[in-house]
Amino acid sequence: NSTVASNTGNFGGGIYTSMSRLYLDSTVVTGNTANFTGGGIYIETGILYATNATLSYNTAINSLGGGAYISLFEPELDVSDFIGSTLPGFSHSDIVGNHVQGLYGGGLYITSSSGLAQPHAADTQPILDPVTLYLDHTSIRDNKAGQSGGGVYWESGIAILQSVVFDRDTSQSGYGGALYLSSLNAALDSVTMTSNRAYNSGGGLYAAGCNIY
């Protein structure tokens, strides 16, 4: 039940975390500005759990992630790490009116490193698995990217989107008005894309090197 508003920084105008888990519950992150990356939130090699959150009207001026830049890494993740039914990502949240003036990800820019999973009993080495992030019952609307991924730019990892609405997101000079996916596996269930626009290809969805189910 917190508000992070009208702050400025080079990376993470509102919030910056490194090698951490960030939990947001009924939190509003609004009107923040990053001179480079992560207008509202900058997560460097970590994970995010956001429920009933609002990420709105944040700006990244020169680089990536108008609303948030999320570089995922979750070591030794198991079900006991979840709080109640909360999964890593955004649940029942609003991502609205964010803007990256430079490159990619008007609402969100998401990239993933491998997570270190627990090895099976017969294994002698840990298993490196891509990190999974969820967007669940979330509205992503009126976001703009200077280049690609007006709503969300997502590269690598595993993307699970369920009951997500993309509306009036814009890629001003590139691809993927609503959603740009690159080099990942994605599951889309009950995803709605309306009135989004890309300067080039993929007004709703643009995908390259992906498996989409």
Side-chain angles (χ1 to χ4, degrees), residues 98-196:
N98 303 285
H99 185 199
V100 58
Q101 297 177 12
L103 297 174
Y104 310 132
L108 303 174
Y109 180 96
I110 303 167
T111 186
S112 175
S113 301
S114 293
L116 182 60
Q118 295 287 356
H120 300 292
D123 294 331
T124 58
Q125 298 293 328
I127 305 164
L128 290 176
D129 288 331
V131 180
T132 302
L133 197 75
Y134 296 78
L135 297 178
D136 175 51
H137 289 84
T138 290
S139 175
I140 302 171
R141 63 187 189 275
D142 296 314
N143 302 284
K144 295 188 294 183
Q147 293 193 23
S148 296
V152 177
Y153 187 105
W154 201 324
E155 60 173 358
S156 69
I158 299 174
I160 299 180
L161 288 75
Q162 181 173 345
S163 300
V164 177
V165 175
F166 293 88
D167 186 31
R168 301 187 303 273
D169 297 305
T170 302
S171 164
Q172 294 178 299
S173 64
Y175 304 85
L179 178 60
Y180 184 110
L181 300 176
S182 176
S183 304
L184 52 74
N185 294 324
L188 278 63
D189 180 18
S190 301
V191 173
T192 302
M193 299 180 181
T194 57
S195 303
N196 303 285

Side-chain angles (χ1 to χ4, degrees), residues 12-90:
I15 299 171
Y16 179 102
T17 68
S18 178
M19 296 298 292
S20 303
R21 297 176 183 176
L22 177 62
Y23 299 89
L24 302 177
D25 186 2
S26 302
T27 298
V28 176
V29 181
T30 187
N32 302 285
T33 301
N35 293 321
F36 296 99
T37 297
I41 301 170
Y42 187 106
I43 295 176
E44 179 62 37
T45 54
I47 198 76
L48 170 71
Y49 300 80
T51 303
N52 298 316
T54 300
L55 187 63
S56 62
Y57 306 106
N58 301 286
T59 301
I61 296 175
N62 287 319
S63 192
L64 308 170
Y69 170 93
I70 304 170
S71 174
L72 296 169
F73 180 79
E74 178 60 278
E76 301 178 6
L77 179 67
D78 58 41
V79 174
S80 65
D81 290 312
F82 302 150
I83 297 179
S85 60
T86 301
L87 296 168
F90 286 89

